[in-house]
Amino acid sequence: MTVPPRFELNGDPLGPDAFVAGMTSYGHFTAMQVRDGRVRGLAFHLERLATSTRLLFGSDLDVDLVRSYVRQAIAGEPALSVRVMVLTRSFAEPMTPEILVRTLPPHPPDPAPLRLATVRYQRDLPQVKHLGTFGLIHHSRQAALAGYDDALFVDPAGRISEASIWNAGFLAGDTVVWPEAAVLPGITMLVQKEALRRLGVPQETREVRPADLREFDAMFVTNSETPGRAVASVDDLVLPPADRAVDLLARAYETVPWDEI
């Protein structure tokens, strides 16, 4: 049976239309896949929420309260996609951040390789997973209209940074390469970095430009729904199969413990 969407603002249930008119796009969020009341990388999720709240609102976030709201929202459900949003209904200073928890059915990873189109774009405050998603959606849609699956962002310096809802990575021999650019530090990417380090897999961070893609053995993307998804092509360049990279990332991710919310 499909689980209907559920919204809870500061712990109180809302209808799906009740919050839209009163909320703004000024805020931030984190997204997670929850299984039996547990999530991978919980500490990263809470640190992201706390750090972004200080940056956007100038105030501290009670992460224990956040956890209690999430526990309440997921109670009795074995598998959910959960989004925790910190936002405001008023711009009067001092702004008061509020916590909105949305639950949806779980999102299984899609194994199909992606075809990406490069676009010159950099998000405002790229280190924040903020609610200002207009540019992401617009460029992703334009890529789809052009026959691609999604957009791959290239920053003003000409470096590959990230995709619309993904961190990007590459495999060079046995080394995982992360792009050096202003990107969102995705939770799955952070979790993967730790897992790969524990497995002894070499990693490095360096500038990668579209012209450098021919040097790599594979390209992949990762987000909260998948530990690693192959990239089949970028613009007109067909990339090598990424099976080895995807298998490596899946193996590393499976070593990550689940944390009780």
Side-chain angles (χ1 to χ4, degrees):
M1 183 175 65
T2 301
V3 179
R6 181 178 175 84
F7 298 85
E8 293 188 1
L9 179 64
N10 303 322
D12 295 324
L14 290 176
D17 299 325
F19 78 97
V20 174
M23 296 297 176
T24 73
S25 62
Y26 191 82
H28 61 90
F29 70 99
T30 197
M32 60 185 78
Q33 295 296 309
V34 176
R35 302 293 183 267
D36 297 319
R38 300 175 300 160
V39 65
R40 284 183 166 115
L42 177 62
F44 287 126
H45 284 289
L46 296 177
E47 177 60 26
R48 163 189 277 175
L49 292 172
T51 299
S52 296
T53 297
R54 285 192 292 269
L55 178 61
L56 296 188
F57 296 97
S59 59
D60 291 326
L61 181 69
D62 186 340
V63 295
D64 289 331
L65 183 62
V66 171
R67 293 178 72 170
S68 71
Y69 287 159
V70 175
R71 284 196 297 267
Q72 174 179 297
I74 65 176
E77 295 294 342
L80 288 169
S81 294
V82 176
R83 178 175 291 199
V84 181
M85 292 167 270
V86 181
L87 32 66
T88 185
R89 286 181 282 184
S90 172
F91 287 113
E93 295 289 351
M95 284 190 290
T96 301
E98 301 188 69
I99 302 164
L100 180 66
V101 179
R102 186 197 73 182
T103 63
L104 290 171
H107 292 171
D110 186 340
L114 291 170
R115 296 166 299 118
L116 303 179
T118 57
V119 60
R120 286 293 180 109
Y121 179 70
Q122 181 169 297
R123 297 181 304 110
D124 294 326
L125 292 177
Q127 73 272 30
V128 176
K129 193 175 181 69
H130 52 69
L131 299 176
T133 57
F134 175 86
L136 306 184
I137 296 170
H138 173 71
H139 290 299
S140 180
R141 179 173 179 269
Q142 294 303 307
L145 291 174
Y148 297 90
D149 297 311
D150 208 340
L152 177 65
F153 300 146
V154 176
D155 73 8
R159 304 175 299 180
I160 291 173
S161 57
E162 56 194 351
S164 67
I165 57 170
W166 316 84
N167 283 113
F170 311 88
L171 191 65
D174 294 325
T175 300
V176 173
V177 177
W178 304 100
E180 182 178 336
V183 303
L184 176 73
I187 302 301
T188 302
M189 182 183 73
L190 295 174
V191 166
Q192 288 285 36
K193 284 184 175 182
E194 281 198 351
L196 292 167
R197 185 162 50 248
R198 287 195 300 269
L199 291 178
V201 176
Q203 299 177 78
E204 62 181 57
T205 300
R206 60 181 169 92
E207 292 186 358
V208 178
R209 300 172 186 274
D212 301 329
L213 291 175
R214 291 179 175 82
E215 302 173 7
F216 294 102
D217 297 299
M219 180 179 178
F220 61 87
V221 291
T222 186
N223 67 7
S224 64
E225 297 177 10
T226 177
R229 185 171 177 180
V231 176
S233 63
V234 174
D235 295 332
D236 296 328
L237 177 64
V238 176
L239 301 175
D243 296 356
R244 187 163 64 94
V246 170
D247 290 345
L248 171 64
L249 293 167
R251 189 168 72 252
Y253 200 64
E254 285 303 313
T255 68
V256 179
W258 290 87
D259 302 316
E260 289 283 347
I261 297 174

